[in-house]
Structures are given as C-alpha cells and as structure tokens.
Amino acid sequence: MTFFPILETPRLRLRKMVASDAPAVLSMHLQDESRQWAGYNAITNLEGAIGFVQWTEEITRRHIPEFCWAIERKDTPGMIGQCNFTQCDAGSLSAVVGYELAQAHQNQGFMHEALGRVLNWCFLHLKLMRISATVHPDNTPSIRTLQRWDFQYEGLLRSAGLWGGKHHDLMSFSLLAPEYLAAISPLISEPSTMQAHIGLPSGAMADRTALQREMAAA
C-alpha cells in the first residue's frame, strides 16, 4: 500500500480518491461551465472517470510520489472537487498545484481553504521552496484564489495549453516559501483565525521556525 497524506481543515477532508468517486468526477466534468478553463479535455463518460481515478493511484507510486486529493465536506460525504500536487523536483524543491471544484460548491471559500491546507503541507512538511500554477486568463475566480494566497504573476505562456481542440494562453503564477510564511504569519499569531482558514496542524509552528532557520542559513 502506498503512502497517502490525508489533510483536514475545519470544513473539509482531503483524502485519497477511490473508485466510488468516479460518478462525482464525471458529474463535475459534464455540468461545470468552468470546464472551458480546466487545462485538459473534459471526461465525457464513466469509463473515462474510472480511468482518472486509477491515474490518481498510479501517480502515488512514482519515484517521486505525486498526489491528487479528493475534496470532501465533513458534513456531507462525497467528492466535491480535487486538488493535485505534481511535477515535484527534489533538486529545486519545487512542485506544481492544480485544482477544480464542482460548480455547486463554488463561491463558498472551499477552494481557498483546501489550497491553503495543501500549501501548508508542501511548505512546512515537505520544505519546498517554490509552488507554481497556471491559469487561463479568463478564469477570474481561480486567479483570485491564487492571489489570496499571495501567488505572484510571472508572465503569459502563449498557446501553452491544448484542450477542446484549440490552443490556449496560460498565465503563470508562483509562490515562494518566504512569501507563504509572510502570508500566514498574521494567522499564526491568532490560532483560531488560522484554524478557520486551513486547520493549522499542531506541529506547524515548530515547522515554520525550522524553515525560517534553514532559509536564513542559505
């Protein structure tokens, strides 16, 4: 059995995707209007959704494991979205994040909460230096989600995406460990506020201090 980190926030559980999530994956792809910005072709049948779930298992067995979490509300079982961590480079201590949320659960702060928890795990547990993400220029909600966590715009990647039978420009964003620490410092000083955002783990303060020492010595 491969290792899979289960992450939690006050409202959400980020867990391993399982076969029973396939119908939710398919529904999200068929009904969500924002699929036009997703970055890859929509899944159109249950077979494709099952294949996607199988892919999330396969990437955990790579030499450097990658993860795709199913996002689930604690008060209502069932997958409402996904957040993935891929292209991890052990040499540069960098990785890429991606995410999508079913339309019925958007505009409620769920993705901000889920992404914050994944960033916390990447920077404070894995000790990464850089997290990057790409977004379609018209995907204003996703851009706003990244900016709320202080991701910085780096430039336009012309025709870098290909889905729906056409090429798309993509905006490139990144967040560095020092910037993340600056973003969460006010929240750490107020534990109840931090819990409301991402459910800060009990050992995160010690991890944060160790990370600051490492960067100061670099």
Side-chain angles (χ1 to χ4, degrees):
M1 180 180 296
T2 55
F3 164 74
F4 194 95
I6 297 175
L7 309 177
E8 294 192 355
T9 74
R11 297 187 295 171
L12 304 173
R13 180 175 295 104
L14 281 66
R15 55 164 176 78
K16 183 177 181 178
M17 205 174 294
V18 295
S20 58
D21 291 319
V25 171
L26 178 59
S27 176
M28 184 168 62
H29 281 231
L30 293 179
Q31 299 178 9
D32 194 346
E33 295 178 2
S34 64
R35 285 298 312 165
Q36 61 184 309
W37 302 313
Y40 62 101
N41 289 322
I43 294 168
T44 59
N45 53 54
L46 187 58
E47 182 180 5
I50 293 172
F52 182 83
V53 173
Q54 292 173 340
W55 170 80
T56 68
E57 169 64 28
E58 291 167 1
I59 63 175
T60 66
R61 297 195 293 266
R62 293 177 177 173
H63 177 64
I64 298 179
E66 301 176 353
F67 303 101
C68 182
W69 290 271
I71 302 173
E72 181 177 68
R73 295 179 57 165
K74 288 181 175 179
D75 60 357
T76 308
M79 176 181 162
I80 65 170
Q82 61 95 357
C83 187
N84 57 75
F85 163 88
T86 61
Q87 302 179 43
C88 185
D89 188 317
S92 62
L93 298 179
S94 64
V96 176
V97 296
Y99 47 84
E100 55 187 325
L101 194 68
Q103 193 167 9
H105 300 278
Q106 294 174 11
N107 301 314
Q108 300 176 57
F110 290 131
M111 189 51 71
H112 174 73
E113 196 171 311
L115 180 60
R117 186 65 184 90
V118 171
L119 294 175
N120 180 274
W121 183 76
C122 288
F123 285 123
L124 301 186
H125 178 72
L126 296 184
K127 303 296 192 291
L128 296 186
M129 174 52 71
R130 169 188 165 90
I131 302 293
S132 61
T134 57
V135 183
H136 191 284
D138 293 336
N139 193 350
T140 302
S142 184
I143 293 171
R144 189 180 302 119
T145 294
L146 293 175
Q147 291 175 333
R148 287 185 68 190
W149 281 111
D150 284 2
F151 274 77
Q152 302 299 305
Y153 175 61
E154 295 185 320
L156 186 69
L157 305 176
R158 297 179 301 163
S159 295
L162 175 61
W163 68 88
K166 59 184 293 188
H167 284 89
H168 301 267
D169 293 341
L170 295 175
M171 298 174 68
S172 175
F173 289 85
S174 71
L175 178 66
L176 304 182
E179 296 164 345
Y180 174 74
L181 287 172
I184 68 171
S185 288
L187 301 180
I188 286 179
S189 65
E190 297 290 339
S192 60
T193 302
M194 190 64 174
Q195 283 289 334
H197 277 259
I198 60 172
L200 184 68
S202 59
M205 179 64 81
D207 287 342
R208 172 177 178 270
T209 303
L211 182 56
Q212 287 175 318
R213 286 198 301 266
E214 291 176 12
M215 290 191 296

